[in-house]
Amino acid sequence: MRFTTLTTFAATSAAAVVSPFAEPANSMGFIGCSMAENVAQGYVAVQGKRMWGPYGTSGMVVQSWTNTNSQSWQLFDQQAARYGKPTAVWIQICIFTNGATYNEVKQLIANTRQHAAPGAMIYITGQPLYSAGQSCFLAGVNGPENTDALAQQAAADASQNVTYPGSFLLKQGEVLDGCHANTQGQQSLGRQALAFWG
Ligand SMILES: *[C@@H]1O[C@H](CO)[C@@H](O)[C@H](O)[C@H]1NC(C)=O
């Protein structure tokens, strides 16, 4: 009964998108590159609240996050200072054509634990995958698939305690420049993020 009432309210009021069971707004952080920004842009556009909005992570592939004192982590810490240390963090494994190793991925996870709130839940994914015939030239041939495989490897590794929610997908008509999402693609990614972690 109560749920029905709230659903009705949500359908009639733009202000009611936050359900009584939602995690607090901006309590979830993320790391990644411009492809993570594409997700965050779309997430904000489709009224996602839990995760931070975009914060200037363009070009920040795995190697930008392996040093815990890097400029990228300083940017992350600025967000954490603004919103409180995140109780959940999404790690997007993002690469240029030089790729990344599993050891580097483990370093990202360790650094994430250090910068997040104690006991934070960590989600891990690769870059978005693409429907047939498309890919991301910046990540190279099979680059997106390789990042997805690394994310699944980490999730299968009990010592890492991270969760793989699935892969993001960019479909035909959602790609701007041979890699990044257009406006429609961003919103599609944003809806996928909402389905993964609310
Ligand atoms: C694993 O992560 C969860 C949060 O997702 C946390 O509550 C738990 O304490 C962690 N377990 C270990 C052994 O670190």
Side-chain angles (χ1 to χ4, degrees):
M1 193 55 152
R2 180 172 160 76
F3 181 73
T4 308
T5 308
L6 285 166
T7 306
T8 307
F9 181 54
T12 53
S13 167
V17 289
V18 178
S19 89
F21 311 109
E23 301 284 346
N26 295 306
S27 62
M28 178 172 176
F30 69 89
I31 69 170
C33 66
S34 53
M35 303 311 294
E37 279 202 290
N38 279 178
V39 174
Q41 284 157 337
Y43 182 80
V44 169
V46 300
Q47 309 289 313
K49 303 284 185 225
R50 180 187 185 188
M51 190 177 79
W52 298 343
Y55 67 100
T57 53
S58 185
M60 296 183 181
V61 294
V62 165
Q63 291 79 20
S64 297
W65 301 100
T66 45
N67 180 333
T68 194
N69 299 312
S70 69
Q71 201 184 348
S72 299
W73 279 113
Q74 287 171 34
L75 269 182
F76 180 100
D77 288 345
Q78 282 171 21
Q79 294 295 101
R82 188 170 164 196
Y83 298 122
K85 285 194 177 185
T87 55
V89 179
W90 165 45
I91 297 175
Q92 179 193 59
I93 301 170
C94 188
I95 60 169
F96 288 135
T97 53
N98 59 319
T101 66
Y102 185 53
N103 275 336
E104 288 176 319
V105 170
K106 286 197 284 189
Q107 190 63 55
L108 259 57
I109 295 169
N111 292 348
T112 298
R113 285 202 199 292
Q114 195 188 333
H115 289 258
M121 166 125 197
I122 299 180
Y123 294 96
I124 193 161
T125 75
Q127 297 185 211
L129 303 179
Y130 297 79
S131 52
Q134 303 185 99
S135 189
C136 172
F137 73 96
L138 293 165
V141 177
N142 290 325
E145 289 80 2
N146 292 342
T147 62
D148 186 61
L150 282 165
Q152 294 196 45
Q153 183 179 353
D157 181 345
S159 74
Q160 297 303 304
N161 195 19
V162 295
T163 300
Y164 172 80
S167 56
F168 286 95
L169 177 67
L170 281 168
K171 296 198 278 263
Q172 297 289 346
E174 296 182 343
V175 185
L176 184 64
D177 59 356
C179 186
H180 296 99
N182 61 21
T183 305
Q184 190 185 333
Q186 289 171 14
Q187 296 201 6
S188 168
L189 294 172
R191 282 188 294 271
Q192 293 169 59
L194 268 181
F196 284 155
W197 48 68

